[in-house]
Amino acid sequence: MTGTPGAAATRNGEAPERSPSCSPSYDLMGKVMLLGDSGVGKTCFLIQFKDGAFLSGTFIATVGIDFRNKVVTVDGMRVKLQIWDTAGQERFRSVTHAYYRDAQALLLLYDITNKSSFDNIRAWLTEIHEYAQRDVVIMLLGNKADVSSERMIRSEDGEMLAREYGVPFMETSAKTGMNVELAFLAIAKELKYRAGRQANEPSFQIRDYVESQKKRPSCCSFL
Ligand SMILES: Nc1nc2c(ncn2[C@@H]2O[C@H](COP(=O)(O)OP(=O)(O)OP(=O)(O)O)[C@@H](O)[C@H]2O)c(=O)[nH]1
């Protein structure tokens, strides 16, 4: 485990800021958590977004929780995303629950080649409703979309589950980068919209935005 809620520093050496200091290099900050079963690709997803790289080779399960920061610019506003990578293993659940409370957004991943990771999404959503803020932004992501030959979950099933819970959905690949940046940009746009919402401002619909922007793997229509 590498930190507690509000701890000063973690393994990657960055300090989890709570509020902007004298001259912040961003306009808004949001805390995002990556959730999902062990092995679905949360750490790779974060590293692809942060560094544009893919960690292949031996799988090393996350222990406890870790985080990285990245600033993205949406509609001229710099949004600092503080992204927490959680351990998917059951034995770390009580540690990660403590972090849900002040998260503004949750990216919930399953692995399209692993049926149980998809079946467990309902349990994850139950947990989220128990521990997270009521208005937390949730996005469902079917990761490893590059491995079409081992696909176990149809894209349509992901879409259907997401519709049932009223959350945006897309398939992603931490390996090729497909839709990785889009997931975070959509979250940043939603946070920006929420922070600056004014009575006469046209509303931002994250589900419509994701639907209009997402890339679909060419592999899955035959399933
Ligand atoms: N082909 C492919 N492999 C992936 C992808 N994302 C992750 N992997 C592989 O899946 C394995 C698990 O990835 P991790 O990112 O460590 O999984 P995790 O969800 O962080 O796992 P925990 O830390 O135990 O919760 C690794 O061997 C990765 O190389 C992807 O999009 N495509």
Side-chain angles (χ1 to χ4, degrees), residues 36-45 54-63 85-89 109 111 143-147 172-176:
D37 279 8
S38 180
V40 297
K42 299 179 294 298
T43 301
C44 290
F45 195 85
F54 176 65
L55 289 181
S56 54
T58 321
F59 163 41
I60 302 170
T62 303
V63 174
D85 175 22
T86 64
Q89 288 179 14
L109 282 77
D111 171 353
N143 194 38
K144 306 196 187 179
D146 57 286
V147 201
T172 60
S173 168
K175 184 172 184 176
T176 67

Side-chain angles (χ1 to χ4, degrees), residues 36-223:
D37 279 8
S38 180
V40 297
K42 299 179 294 298
T43 301
C44 290
F45 195 85
L46 175 54
I47 289 178
Q48 177 60 252
F49 175 60
K50 170 83 179 155
D51 304 326
F54 176 65
L55 289 181
S56 54
T58 321
F59 163 41
I60 302 170
T62 303
V63 174
I65 191 155
D66 198 3
F67 84 98
R68 309 268 164 143
N69 290 322
K70 183 160 174 171
V71 178
V72 294
T73 302
V74 286
D75 311 325
M77 186 181 264
R78 290 156 306 169
V79 182
K80 179 173 180 169
L81 298 176
Q82 187 185 88
I83 309 155
W84 291 82
D85 175 22
T86 64
Q89 288 179 14
E90 189 81 44
R91 63 197 169 107
F92 295 116
R93 282 309 146 75
S94 58
V95 175
T96 51
H97 287 161
Y99 291 81
Y100 280 47
R101 236 166 299 133
D102 58 344
Q104 278 97 42
L106 304 173
L107 294 178
L108 179 55
L109 282 77
Y110 66 89
D111 171 353
I112 68 148
T113 71
N114 178 333
K115 186 165 182 312
S116 69
S117 74
F118 180 72
D119 293 342
N120 287 336
I121 289 294
R122 286 181 190 280
W124 278 105
L125 286 162
T126 303
E127 210 161 274
I128 287 168
H129 289 128
E130 190 171 340
Y131 294 101
Q133 294 176 40
R134 278 175 64 179
D135 64 346
V136 70
V137 183
I138 303 169
M139 191 180 295
L140 180 65
L141 303 174
N143 194 38
K144 306 196 187 179
D146 57 286
V147 201
S148 53
S149 57
E150 293 167 40
R151 176 185 283 274
M152 302 284 285
I153 306 299
R154 300 180 315 165
S155 184
E156 294 87 324
D157 294 329
E159 302 265 7
M160 227 165 9
L161 184 62
R163 217 172 303 128
E164 185 184 327
Y165 284 89
V167 301
F169 166 76
M170 56 189 160
E171 292 197 336
T172 60
S173 168
K175 184 172 184 176
T176 67
M178 187 185 87
N179 290 333
V180 173
E181 192 166 14
L182 174 60
F184 290 103
L185 283 180
I187 294 290
K189 270 180 172 281
E190 174 71 20
L191 297 181
K192 174 192 161 273
Y193 169 66
R194 287 184 179 197
R197 192 165 21 198
Q198 311 213 331
N200 55 356
E201 195 181 348
S203 70
F204 172 72
Q205 298 292 340
I206 189 169
R207 285 174 67 195
D208 294 347
Y209 177 71
V210 164
E211 283 305 311
S212 68
Q213 300 292 317
K214 73 185 183 187
K215 292 191 174 63
R216 291 170 171 82
S218 50
C219 58
C220 29
S221 50
F222 60 87
L223 279 166

